[in-house]
Amino acid sequence: MDWTGKHLMIFGCGYVGTALAEAALAAGAEVTALTRNPGRAEALRAAGVSRVVQAEILDAGWRRQVPQEADFALNCLSAGGGGITAYRQAYVEGMQAILDWAATGSRRIGTLVYTGSTGVYPQSGGEAVDENASLAGGDGRSSILAEAEGRLHRPQAGIGRWFILRLAGIYGPGRHNLLDQLRAGVETLPGTGTPRMNLAHRDDVVRAILACLAAPAGIGHEVFNVSDGSPAPKREVVRWLCAALGRPVPAFAGSLSAGRRETGPADRLIANRKLLEMTDWSPGFPTYREGYGALLREV
Ligand SMILES: NC(=O)c1ccc[n+]([C@@H]2O[C@H](COP(=O)([O-])OP(=O)(O)OC[C@H]3O[C@@H](n4cnc5c(N)ncnc54)[C@H](OP(=O)(O)O)[C@@H]3O)[C@@H](O)[C@H]2O)c1
């Protein structure tokens, strides 16, 4: 991939955005990254990102600090902590702020990728879920994610084409909470351990974004699930990790965290067939074994 002379604008440049920025810089692109997080902004500058803007997306002042045009843009804003208000601000209002910016530019954005979430799906009873699954009937967070996607589906003045990537649970270097818990010697994990985990390694997420940005001109305005395609019950993943770590397997018992108590963790099989068939993407970490195996060797 040669991106010499291309400009990539990343909104919400955190864990995924930074990995994409590094790949784009290596390919010769000019990168502008926006984050409100001072530590992340500092890290981005240290990584050689051409232009780092530390700003709140809902404060229009950032528009004066970024170029008026971009060949590529990524919206990977994340609500992080915070309640439902923060969720709406990050996803719906954040998306709208980006679309408003794109509509007023002198030249439109070539390709916009939005990293949404498989949390948009209300299905949670063990179903196979592809991109045609109904989004009706979700809880507050699912509805907000659906509304954010809906903003893209409206006619867009400033964007050549867009892709929505519905990401499964991201893990990778520096983000491996389950592994950390087991290493720390946890004896009990909440829940039953039977719902399937749908995972996507960070590097496969970056590869999916790159596959969309580089997709042939005939492809666009598409929604893709991004997951490794190998959902596995949490109990199985935990057993495998414990064997690799040489430690006893913790019991599953006790109640879930407050946010998950009502609905329980979603049990479903996220399909990645559409992304495999329509782009040149394929997962470098096709199951949790490859992904966690690499992490166990690294950390
Ligand atoms: N993590 C997962 O398992 C998962 C699963 C499915 C989908 N996704 C989606 O994947 C995308 C990337 O996730 P990630 O893990 O890379 O997120 P992340 O590490 O939290 O990065 C998001 C960045 O955006 C910044 N940000 C958030 N709200 C902002 C605002 N209003 N104005 C300016 N900057 C703001 C954050 O700053 P702060 O650090 O100050 O908040 C952070 O630097 C997100 O869209 C997320 O919803 C994630």
Side-chain angles (χ1 to χ4, degrees):
M1 140 179 128
D2 179 9
W3 280 12
T4 309
K6 302 285 187 194
H7 177 222
L8 167 67
M9 178 80 221
I10 304 176
F11 297 97
C13 196
Y15 183 64
V16 167
T18 299
L20 180 74
E22 286 169 354
L25 286 169
E30 183 198 343
V31 178
T32 301
L34 181 144
T35 176
R36 67 182 172 194
N37 185 309
R40 183 61 76 171
E42 199 47 52
L44 288 163
R45 285 188 194 100
V49 170
S50 334
R51 194 179 293 101
V52 179
V53 178
Q54 192 191 320
E56 162 60 52
I57 194 79
L58 301 183
D59 172 0
W62 59 264
R63 289 201 201 180
R64 290 190 298 275
Q65 300 176 58
V66 305
Q68 272 295 305
E69 52 192 49
D71 300 285
F72 308 119
L74 172 68
N75 173 7
C76 54
L77 288 160
S78 171
I84 206 87
T85 305
Y87 218 73
R88 166 167 280 282
Q89 282 175 346
Y91 290 105
V92 179
E93 296 174 28
M95 175 74 85
Q96 193 58 53
I98 293 166
L99 296 178
D100 290 346
W101 167 75
T104 55
S106 53
R107 196 180 60 126
R108 44 186 208 170
I109 296 173
T111 304
L112 171 71
V113 173
Y114 161 54
T115 50
S117 171
T118 53
V120 75
Y121 293 118
Q123 292 78 7
S124 62
E127 308 92 319
V129 176
D130 69 14
E131 293 82 352
N132 294 320
S134 168
L135 303 185
D139 63 12
R141 284 188 161 75
S142 306
S143 309
I144 286 172
L145 289 167
E147 192 180 341
E149 291 191 7
R151 297 291 166 115
L152 266 181
H153 285 284
R154 293 176 181 175
Q156 298 300 335
I159 294 166
R161 62 175 177 175
W162 52 255
F163 294 92
I164 294 168
L165 298 181
R166 294 175 178 159
L167 309 183
I170 304 172
Y171 73 120
R175 189 173 287 185
H176 33 70
N177 186 39
L178 183 57
L179 178 55
D180 293 344
Q181 283 180 289
L182 295 171
R183 275 198 168 129
V186 66
E187 290 176 2
T188 309
L189 288 168
T192 63
T194 49
R196 264 69 60 97
M197 296 177 77
N198 289 274
L199 296 172
H201 190 281
R202 180 201 64 185
D203 294 351
D204 286 331
V205 172
V206 169
R207 272 191 276 271
I209 297 166
L210 291 171
C212 289
L213 295 177
I219 303 178
H221 299 79
E222 292 288 350
V223 180
F224 295 117
N225 290 339
V226 183
S227 80
D228 64 12
S230 306
K234 186 167 183 178
R235 185 182 289 280
E236 179 190 317
V237 180
V238 166
R239 246 192 246 121
W240 186 90
L241 280 169
C242 288
L245 292 169
R247 60 145 287 172
V249 180
F252 278 90
S255 55
L256 296 159
S257 61
R260 291 189 153 183
R261 210 166 285 144
E262 277 177 31
T263 53
D267 182 33
R268 54 196 173 205
L269 308 162
I270 300 293
N272 62 6
R273 198 178 319 110
K274 185 179 173 192
L275 184 63
L276 282 167
E277 288 177 359
M278 286 189 66
T279 72
D280 66 1
W281 179 85
S282 64
F285 301 91
T287 77
Y288 67 84
R289 294 179 207 84
E290 289 80 14
Y292 278 116
L295 293 173
L296 285 162
R297 287 190 293 278
E298 285 166 18
V299 288

